[in-house]
Coordinates of all heavy atoms in Angstrom, one line a residue:
V392 N 5.4 -5.5 10.6 CA 4.6 -6.7 11.0 C 5.0 -7.3 12.3 O 4.1 -7.6 13.1 CB 4.8 -7.8 9.9 CG1 4.0 -9.1 10.2 CG2 4.4 -7.3 8.5
V393 N 6.3 -7.4 12.6 CA 6.7 -8.1 13.8 C 7.0 -7.2 15.0 O 6.9 -7.6 16.1 CB 7.9 -9.1 13.5 CG1 7.5 -10.1 12.5 CG2 9.1 -8.3 13.1
K395 N 5.7 -4.4 16.2 CA 4.6 -3.9 17.1 C 4.1 -5.0 18.0 O 3.6 -4.8 19.1 CB 3.5 -3.3 16.2 CG 3.8 -1.9 15.8 CD 2.5 -1.2 15.3 CE 2.7 0.2 15.1 NZ 1.5 1.0 14.8
G396 N 4.2 -6.3 17.5 CA 3.7 -7.4 18.3 C 4.6 -7.6 19.6 O 4.0 -7.8 20.7
Y397 N 5.9 -7.4 19.5 CA 6.8 -7.7 20.6 C 7.0 -6.4 21.4 O 6.9 -6.4 22.6 CB 8.1 -8.3 20.1 CG 9.1 -8.3 21.2 CD1 8.9 -8.9 22.4 CD2 10.4 -7.8 20.9 CE1 9.8 -8.9 23.4 CE2 11.4 -7.9 21.9 CZ 11.1 -8.5 23.1 OH 12.1 -8.5 24.1
R445 N 14.1 -17.5 10.5 CA 13.0 -17.3 9.5 C 11.8 -16.6 10.2 O 11.6 -16.8 11.4 CB 12.6 -18.6 8.9 CG 13.6 -19.3 8.1 CD 13.3 -20.7 7.7 NE 13.3 -21.6 8.9 CZ 14.4 -22.1 9.5 NH1 15.6 -21.9 8.9 NH2 14.3 -22.8 10.5
L446 N 11.1 -15.9 9.4 CA 9.8 -15.3 9.9 C 8.7 -15.9 9.0 O 8.7 -15.7 7.8 CB 9.9 -13.8 9.7 CG 11.0 -13.0 10.5 CD1 11.0 -11.6 10.1 CD2 10.8 -13.2 12.0
D447 N 7.8 -16.6 9.7 CA 6.7 -17.3 9.0 C 5.5 -16.4 9.0 O 4.8 -16.3 10.0 CB 6.4 -18.6 9.8 CG 5.4 -19.5 9.1 OD1 4.7 -19.0 8.2 OD2 5.3 -20.7 9.4
F448 N 5.2 -15.8 7.8 CA 4.0 -15.0 7.7 C 2.7 -15.7 7.4 O 1.7 -15.1 7.4 CB 4.3 -13.9 6.6 CG 5.3 -13.0 7.0 CD1 6.6 -13.1 6.5 CD2 5.1 -11.9 7.9 CE1 7.6 -12.2 6.8 CE2 6.1 -11.0 8.2 CZ 7.4 -11.2 7.7
N450 N 1.9 -18.5 9.4 CA 1.4 -18.8 10.8 C 1.7 -17.6 11.7 O 1.4 -17.7 12.9 CB 2.1 -20.0 11.3 CG 1.7 -21.2 10.4 OD1 0.6 -21.6 10.2 ND2 2.7 -21.9 9.8
N451 N 2.3 -16.5 11.2 CA 2.7 -15.4 12.1 C 3.6 -15.8 13.3 O 3.3 -15.4 14.4 CB 1.4 -14.6 12.5 CG 0.7 -14.0 11.4 OD1 1.3 -13.4 10.5 ND2 -0.6 -14.0 11.4
T452 N 4.6 -16.5 13.0 CA 5.5 -17.0 14.0 C 7.0 -16.7 13.7 O 7.4 -16.6 12.6 CB 5.3 -18.5 14.3 OG1 5.5 -19.2 13.0 CG2 3.9 -18.8 14.7
F453 N 7.8 -16.7 14.8 CA 9.2 -16.7 14.7 C 9.7 -18.1 14.5 O 9.3 -19.0 15.4 CB 9.9 -16.1 15.9 CG 9.6 -14.6 16.1 CD1 8.5 -14.2 17.0 CD2 10.3 -13.6 15.5 CE1 8.2 -12.9 17.2 CE2 10.0 -12.3 15.7 CZ 9.0 -11.9 16.5
D454 N 10.5 -18.4 13.5 CA 10.9 -19.8 13.3 C 12.4 -19.8 13.5 O 13.2 -19.5 12.6 CB 10.6 -20.2 11.8 CG 10.9 -21.6 11.5 OD1 11.4 -22.3 12.5 OD2 10.7 -22.0 10.4
T474 N 11.2 -17.5 19.8 CA 10.2 -18.4 19.1 C 8.8 -17.9 19.4 O 8.6 -16.9 20.1 CB 10.4 -19.9 19.5 OG1 10.3 -19.9 20.9 CG2 11.8 -20.4 19.1
G475 N 7.8 -18.7 18.9 CA 6.5 -18.3 19.2 C 5.9 -17.4 18.2 O 6.4 -17.1 17.2
S476 N 4.7 -16.8 18.6 CA 4.0 -16.0 17.7 C 4.5 -14.6 17.7 O 5.2 -14.2 18.6 CB 2.5 -16.0 18.0 OG 2.3 -15.3 19.2
F477 N 4.2 -13.8 16.6 CA 4.6 -12.4 16.6 C 3.9 -11.6 17.8 O 4.5 -10.7 18.3 CB 4.1 -11.8 15.3 CG 4.8 -12.3 14.1 CD1 4.3 -12.1 12.8 CD2 6.1 -12.9 14.2 CE1 5.0 -12.6 11.7 CE2 6.7 -13.4 13.1 CZ 6.2 -13.3 11.8
Q478 N 2.7 -12.0 18.2 CA 2.0 -11.3 19.2 C 2.5 -11.7 20.6 O 2.5 -10.9 21.5 CB 0.5 -11.5 19.1 CG -0.1 -10.9 17.8 CD 0.1 -9.4 17.7 OE1 0.0 -8.7 18.6 NE2 0.5 -9.0 16.5
K479 N 2.9 -13.0 20.8 CA 3.3 -13.5 22.1 C 4.6 -14.3 21.9 O 4.6 -15.5 22.0 CB 2.2 -14.3 22.7 CG 1.0 -13.5 23.1 CD -0.1 -14.4 23.8 CE -1.3 -13.6 24.2 NZ -2.3 -14.5 24.9
P480 N 5.7 -13.6 21.6 CA 7.0 -14.4 21.4 C 7.5 -15.0 22.7 O 7.2 -14.5 23.8 CB 7.9 -13.3 20.9 CG 7.4 -12.0 21.4 CD 5.9 -12.2 21.5

Side-chain angles (χ1 to χ4, degrees):
V392 179
V393 301
K395 279 198 170 183
Y397 170 50
R445 293 167 294 277
L446 301 173
D447 185 344
F448 291 101
N450 300 302
N451 293 321
T452 57
F453 295 97
D454 184 2
T474 58
S476 70
F477 293 160
Q478 296 301 317
K479 294 182 179 180

